[in-house]
Amino acid sequence: MPNLPHPHPAIVLSVVSHGHRDMVQRLLEDVARLGEEGVSRVVLTLNQPEPPLQTPEGGWPFVLEIRHNPTPLGFSANHNAALANAGEPFVCIVNPDVVLRRGNPFPALIEAARRPGVGLAYPTQLDETGAVQDSEREVPTPWSLLLRYAVRRRETRAEWVNGAMWMLPAEAWRSIGGLNPAYFMYC
């Protein structure tokens, strides 16, 4: 009999807070509601001091590892440090302002990330009104920016996607050596 993958593989979630304690609290409560179909471990990096989270009665249903940075680091450096020794089969980067309103995104992200040739999966992002957010772009060049902002041409290729929520097979994460720390934030 072939080895079938566990229906809910282990996921490590990396979240970085820059004083976003209330957003992180809400996000972790959303993740906790998913139960065993969600995340097995969360690495929360505090890029600046902030009040502690309120642990729910009975504790979190995942391992919560909190890291305190002595000095603030950028997006790439923070997530690289958080995921450096990930033993879980999937790594997921999530911004603290993500709200999991429409159910559990993780099974679909894992399914997408498992497809041959896929190295990164991400959900469709919606704003507060339910409208699809502009989160996919062409690689920024002077020409693409001119077309986007001066001519108002809608971009047609997704060569770049914002880092609000990314799911990667840990093997893909390790093969690229994490994110390029030369990118402090977006570019």
Side-chain angles (χ1 to χ4, degrees), residues 28-142:
L28 295 185
E29 289 170 358
D30 285 352
V31 171
R33 278 191 282 283
L34 303 176
E36 65 182 49
E37 291 191 35
V39 171
S40 55
R41 182 169 62 104
V42 174
V43 180
L44 171 60
T45 303
L46 303 178
N47 223 14
Q48 64 184 46
E50 58 188 72
L53 297 169
Q54 182 175 354
T55 303
E57 191 173 317
W60 298 105
F62 44 77
V63 173
L64 177 59
E65 178 184 328
I66 301 176
R67 296 172 176 230
H68 301 267
N69 281 348
T71 58
L73 299 175
F75 183 88
S76 299
N78 276 310
H79 290 297
N80 286 348
L83 300 172
N85 297 313
E88 296 83 356
F90 291 91
V91 300
C92 187
I93 291 173
V94 180
N95 281 354
D97 62 340
V98 167
V99 177
L100 304 176
R101 287 189 196 137
R102 298 182 182 245
N104 187 349
F106 297 111
L109 290 171
I110 288 171
E111 182 181 326
R114 281 185 168 152
R115 292 186 187 134
V118 172
L120 173 80
Y122 56 93
T124 300
Q125 296 175 30
L126 306 176
D127 66 17
E128 304 81 34
T129 68
V132 175
Q133 285 190 312
D134 182 17
S135 60
E136 300 172 319
R137 306 262 175 93
E138 294 173 4
V139 171
T141 64

